[in-house]
Structure formats: structure tokens, C-alpha cells
Amino acid sequence: MMAMISRIWGRLEEGVIASLLAAMTLLTFAQVVLRYVFNSGMVWALEATFYLFAWLIMVGIAYCVRVHAHIGIDLIVKMLPAVPRRTVGLIAIALSILYAVLMAWGSWNYTERMMMLGIEAEDIPVERWMLSIILPIGFALLGVRLLEQGWLVATGRAEGFQLADEVAEAMVLDARGKTPGTEDTGPGRGGHGR
């Protein structure tokens, strides 16, 4: 049951991220066409793109914890034995959860103040709190994902924070005879063969 909920939640995150990115792209494309082809435009497009990007970032930070896409400097941590590595991972996760809680609390206070004041967005006829509500939601999602990662470390199913390891990925590609960012061209097509 939990696996199914986790899978649905993951797909929902991916769908929201893809939809936000598609909306930003289409809106920006339409604005460019209107401006440079028809000498016109939508006044609200820039602000809408700004808020769409904010929503994309806030959903994306939690998603990146799930898929281990955040990068970090963990050279020293990787040299530690298993138990200290897990301990350092738990400390890093605890500090990250503290950050997420503080930011969720602060952003909720900000959003609540926007609700009380009833301030509208500059170019979109919507109250600003409706556009900014993603701040506490996003930090809450981040906190949940960090708790999940902390549970994996605490139960021994993960060694640490599990950051993206671009160097290891580059080394694997290099071991296969490829350099990162290039195709395997083979001999006679610009490859390393004679």
C-alpha cells in the first residue's frame, strides 16, 4: 500500500513539474511571438512566468531529494567508515529538516500576512497569497522528503544523504571510452580508433 502511495506521489510530482515547465515554455514562446511578430504582448506574462518558475523550484527541490539529484561536496564523508558516514548523513539530514521547518514556518507567516492585507499581484488579478502559497507547501514537501531519507539512513537502507555524484558518473562514462556530453563515435567517425 505504501509503495503504491509513494509511486502515485512520485508520478504526481513529475506531472506537476512537467506541467509547470511546459506552461512556462508555452507562455514565454507566445509572448516572444506576440512581441516580435505582432508588436503586441500580454502584460501579465512576465509575472506569470515568474510565479510558475517559483512553483517549479519549490516542487523541484523536494523531487530532487527523492531522486538524489542535489549535488554536494562529500569527498571527506565518503572516506569515512560506514557507521560514521551514516552518522554524518543523519546530522546533515537533521540540519536540512531544521532548515525546511524554519523556512516553512517563516513562509507561512509571510503568506498569512499577504492573506490579511489582501494585496493583489501586480499584473495578475489574483491575491498575491494565492501565488505565494507554494512557499510553505514546498518547504513542507521538502521536509517530508528529508524525513523519508532520514528514515532510510536510520534503518540502514541508505548510507547517507545520497547526493548526486557527477564525478562517479563521469568516471563510468570515461571507463566506457566516452567523455561526458559526447556520443560514442567509434573508429573512423572521429573516435579514438586508428
Side-chain angles (χ1 to χ4, degrees):
M1 180 68 172
M2 288 302 290
M4 185 177 77
I5 292 171
S6 179
R7 193 169 42 249
I8 291 170
W9 187 9
R11 293 289 185 205
L12 183 62
E13 273 179 325
E14 292 169 358
V16 168
I17 289 170
S19 299
L20 290 167
L21 189 57
M24 283 175 52
T25 303
L26 291 172
L27 186 58
T28 303
F29 176 75
Q31 182 69 353
V32 168
V33 169
L34 285 172
R35 179 170 293 159
Y36 292 106
V37 176
F38 299 104
N39 201 23
S40 174
M42 299 173 284
V43 175
W44 53 269
L46 182 62
E47 188 176 23
T49 304
F50 171 80
Y51 282 108
L52 287 169
F53 187 63
W55 280 66
L56 178 71
I57 295 297
M58 296 310 299
V59 174
I61 58 174
Y63 176 76
C64 286
V65 169
R66 187 189 105 195
V67 298
H68 313 296
H70 287 288
I71 59 172
I73 301 170
D74 58 355
L75 178 66
I76 296 172
V77 175
K78 284 186 175 183
M79 293 190 304
L80 295 173
V83 173
R85 190 176 328 136
R86 283 179 51 202
T87 303
V88 169
L90 285 171
I91 291 169
I93 291 169
L95 291 172
S96 298
I97 290 170
L98 176 64
Y99 168 79
V101 167
L102 290 172
M103 292 302 291
W105 180 66
S107 60
W108 174 252
N109 287 336
Y110 169 78
T111 305
E112 195 174 39
R113 186 166 293 137
M114 290 294 119
M115 283 179 180
M116 283 188 336
L117 296 173
I119 298 172
E120 282 193 359
E122 288 183 33
D123 298 321
I124 303 171
V126 174
E127 288 191 15
R128 187 169 281 172
W129 73 266
M130 292 178 180
L131 301 169
S132 301
I133 193 70
I134 191 58
L135 291 170
I137 292 172
F139 284 115
L141 288 173
L142 174 62
V144 169
R145 287 296 186 194
L146 289 167
L147 285 170
E148 288 176 347
Q149 186 63 38
W151 179 254
L152 291 175
V153 174
T155 58
R157 290 185 275 173
E159 289 187 355
F161 209 114
Q162 291 184 304
L163 299 168
D165 194 344
E166 293 177 345
V167 174
E169 292 171 10
M171 299 284 283
V172 167
L173 288 174
D174 191 45
R176 291 185 198 155
K178 302 177 186 178
T179 53
T182 61
E183 296 292 324
D184 185 17
T185 55
R189 295 186 306 249
H192 300 292
R194 293 182 190 229

